[in-house]
């Protein structure tokens, strides 16, 4: 009888610990994928773990520095860690913060893309040699004599890498001219226009994005694989005089928490370590957000109700039941 009572106390104590993680602040970053993850975390931590969760405005460097110096917010759900690598590594070494896991399991993705409908018609276009062979399909918007390659808008970091790779691939010799789309809207709009007319399009883009969720694109294989050292030391540098061909390496995208949160709420922290999205999942979700003109809260509800098999793998059966009950009552 005493053993049974002790076992009940143990179970009760575990449940209480799981349900009492206290106040938790979550950085709500100013881009769509991050705000979706922040809202998902808020709902699951509140209803599954009993946290008093609050979203606070965030951005990469301000949030990272604040977590280091002030110990808040408790969670940064999506940090492109290369953007603040030195500060983050120091924070981990000083045991102020932790890398809790990958918010995007396959990392941020960059590359040169072509529409899937073109690849279905001309399979060799999935390679850079095929693109060069069929250069005339990618008509320049301002000149029928030239082929167009859409680079990054001026001022973006990717403008440097896209320009260097344009040179390394010797695309000008195949009749291409590098186009500055002017803005993010200009770049995404050029893809939408090409898709509507089923025309050729070739250029830089990244994931996760609503565009790659809405329009099926194929990443062009340059045939040389990834050379990270070349990419870091030359491709991404403005003064790179002799760029060589390399594919874009994946960008690590992590969830980061404070050490204090990880220590005080181990069950909730364990959830953060397991919560991860693929680019395909996030692309699809961002496309739905754009089409529905939905905010992060609406996207959270859509994701949790439509993908129970995905998020339930991140939590215990008990937590899943609590979250499911909360969703049903909304």
């Amino acid at each position: 009888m005493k053993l049974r009572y002790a076992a009940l106390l143990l179970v009760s104590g575990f449940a209480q610990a799981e349900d009492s993680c206290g106040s938790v602040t979550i950085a709500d970053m100013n881009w769509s994928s991050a705000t979706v993850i922040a809202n998902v975390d808020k709902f699951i931590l509140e209803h599954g773990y009993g946290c008093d969760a609050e979203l606070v405005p965030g951005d990469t460097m301000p949030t990272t520095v604040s977590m280091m110096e002030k110990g808040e917010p408790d969670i940064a759900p999506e940090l492109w860690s290369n953007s603040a690598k030195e500060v983050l590594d120091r924070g981990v070494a000083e045991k102020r913060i932790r890398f809790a896991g990958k918010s995007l399991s396959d990392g941020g993705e960059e590359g040169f893309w072509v529409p899937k409908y073109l690849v279905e018609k001309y399979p060799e276009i999935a390679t850079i040699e095929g693109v060069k062979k069929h250069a005339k399909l990618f008509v320049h918007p301002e000149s029928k004599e030239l082929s167009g390659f859409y680079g990054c808008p001026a001022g973006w970091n990717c403008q440097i890498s896209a320009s260097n790779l344009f040179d390394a691939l010797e695309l000008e010799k195949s009749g291409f001219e590098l186009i500055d789309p002017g803005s993010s809207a200009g770049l995404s709009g050029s893809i939408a226009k090409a898709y509507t007319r089923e025309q050729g399009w070739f250029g830089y883009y990244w994931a996760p994005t609503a565009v790659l969720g809405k329009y099926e694109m194929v990443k062009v294989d340059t045939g040389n694989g990834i050379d990270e050292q070349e990419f870091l030391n030359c491709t991404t540098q403005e003064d790179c005089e002799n760029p060589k061909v390399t594919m874009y390496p994946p960008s690590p995208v992590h969830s980061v928490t404070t050490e204090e949160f990880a220590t005080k709420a181990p069950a909730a922290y364990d959830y953060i370590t397991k919560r991860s999205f693929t680019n395909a999942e996030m692309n699809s979700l961002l496309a739905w957000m754009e089409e529905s003109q939905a905010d992060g809260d609406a996207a959270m509800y859509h994701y949790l109700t439509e993908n129970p098999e995905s998020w339930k793998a991140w939590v215990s059966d008990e937590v899943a039941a609590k979250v499911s009950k909360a969703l049903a009552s909304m």
Side-chain angles (χ1 to χ4, degrees), residues 71-146:
E72 56 185 32
D74 294 291
I75 305 168
E78 183 187 314
L79 273 181
W80 291 60
S81 44
N82 277 351
S83 301
K85 190 175 188 307
E86 187 178 329
V87 179
L88 289 168
D89 287 346
R90 188 172 80 250
V92 171
E94 295 174 0
K95 294 188 175 178
R96 297 186 187 190
I97 58 175
R98 289 191 194 183
F99 285 111
K102 294 182 177 180
S103 29
L104 298 175
S105 58
D106 36 10
E109 188 176 13
E110 298 174 274
F112 296 167
W113 307 77
V114 291
K116 186 180 179 182
Y117 54 76
L118 274 190
V119 176
E120 288 173 346
K121 192 171 183 179
Y122 307 98
E124 63 268 40
I125 283 180
T127 69
I128 195 64
E129 293 308 317
V131 169
K132 291 177 179 180
K133 176 183 174 182
H134 294 280
K136 292 297 183 183
L137 291 173
F138 306 98
V139 179
H140 194 291
E142 296 176 3
S143 172
K144 293 182 180 179
E145 304 303 315
L146 293 170

Side-chain angles (χ1 to χ4, degrees), residues 23 49 67 74 76 93 265:
S23 297
Y49 296 91
M67 291 176 80
D74 294 291

Side-chain angles (χ1 to χ4, degrees), residues 152-160 180 182:
C152 261
W156 289 25
N157 288 341
C158 54
Q159 184 192 32
I160 297 169
D180 179 353

Side-chain angles (χ1 to χ4, degrees), residues 4-304:
R4 185 179 174 190
Y5 180 67
L8 285 171
L9 284 176
L10 183 63
V11 171
S12 174
F14 175 78
Q16 187 176 11
E18 189 172 59
D19 286 343
S20 59
C21 77
S23 297
V24 178
T25 48
I26 305 167
D28 186 2
M29 305 296 201
N30 57 356
W31 59 91
S32 296
S33 58
T35 200
V36 169
I37 300 175
N39 277 274
V40 167
D41 286 352
K42 182 178 186 291
F43 193 87
I44 290 179
L45 289 176
E46 278 184 342
H47 298 285
Y49 296 91
C51 305
D52 180 14
E54 177 189 3
L55 297 181
V56 296
D59 204 349
T60 301
M61 283 310 298
T63 295
T64 302
V65 172
S66 181
M67 291 176 80
M68 283 279 292
E69 295 181 354
K70 301 177 182 178
E72 56 185 32
D74 294 291
I75 305 168
E78 183 187 314
L79 273 181
W80 291 60
S81 44
N82 277 351
S83 301
K85 190 175 188 307
E86 187 178 329
V87 179
L88 289 168
D89 287 346
R90 188 172 80 250
V92 171
E94 295 174 0
K95 294 188 175 178
R96 297 186 187 190
I97 58 175
R98 289 191 194 183
F99 285 111
K102 294 182 177 180
S103 29
L104 298 175
S105 58
D106 36 10
E109 188 176 13
E110 298 174 274
F112 296 167
W113 307 77
V114 291
K116 186 180 179 182
Y117 54 76
L118 274 190
V119 176
E120 288 173 346
K121 192 171 183 179
Y122 307 98
E124 63 268 40
I125 283 180
T127 69
I128 195 64
E129 293 308 317
V131 169
K132 291 177 179 180
K133 176 183 174 182
H134 294 280
K136 292 297 183 183
L137 291 173
F138 306 98
V139 179
H140 194 291
E142 296 176 3
S143 172
K144 293 182 180 179
E145 304 303 315
L146 293 170
S147 300
F149 170 84
Y150 287 86
C152 261
W156 289 25
N157 288 341
C158 54
Q159 184 192 32
I160 297 169
S161 59
S163 177
N164 281 333
L165 288 173
F166 179 89
D167 292 340
L169 291 165
E170 299 184 328
L171 290 172
E172 192 172 349
K173 289 184 178 180
S174 298
F176 283 94
E177 181 175 84
L178 180 59
I179 300 168
D180 179 353
S183 65
S184 174
L187 186 58
S188 59
S190 68
I191 294 176
K193 183 178 179 180
Y195 239 85
T196 301
R197 303 178 181 185
E198 289 206 356
Q199 294 175 336
W201 189 94
F202 176 45
Y204 169 91
Y205 218 76
W206 73 99
T209 51
V211 166
L212 293 188
K214 187 174 182 180
Y215 304 109
E216 289 190 273
M217 305 289 283
V218 174
K219 186 157 65 172
V220 175
D221 187 351
T222 62
N224 298 72
I226 297 169
D227 184 337
E228 279 204 58
Q229 290 307 308
E230 170 67 19
F231 185 80
L232 293 172
N233 297 329
C234 193
T235 309
T236 53
Q237 304 303 313
E238 215 164 356
D239 58 356
C240 177
E241 293 182 4
N242 185 29
K244 296 180 176 58
V245 179
T246 175
M247 298 283 281
Y248 280 85
S251 300
V253 186
H254 288 99
S255 298
V256 177
T257 76
T258 60
E259 186 67 29
E260 183 182 353
F261 169 76
T263 303
K264 78 172 182 178
Y269 172 77
D270 184 63
Y271 152 72
I272 299 294
T273 68
K274 292 173 180 173
R275 187 263 297 117
S276 190
F277 295 79
T278 65
N279 272 325
E281 286 175 322
M282 188 56 74
N283 285 339
S284 176
L285 187 53
L286 295 179
W288 178 87
M289 278 183 78
E290 187 174 278
E291 289 168 5
S292 306
Q293 297 185 323
D295 61 10
D297 186 57
M300 169 277 295
Y301 180 77
H302 173 78
Y303 175 77
L304 292 179

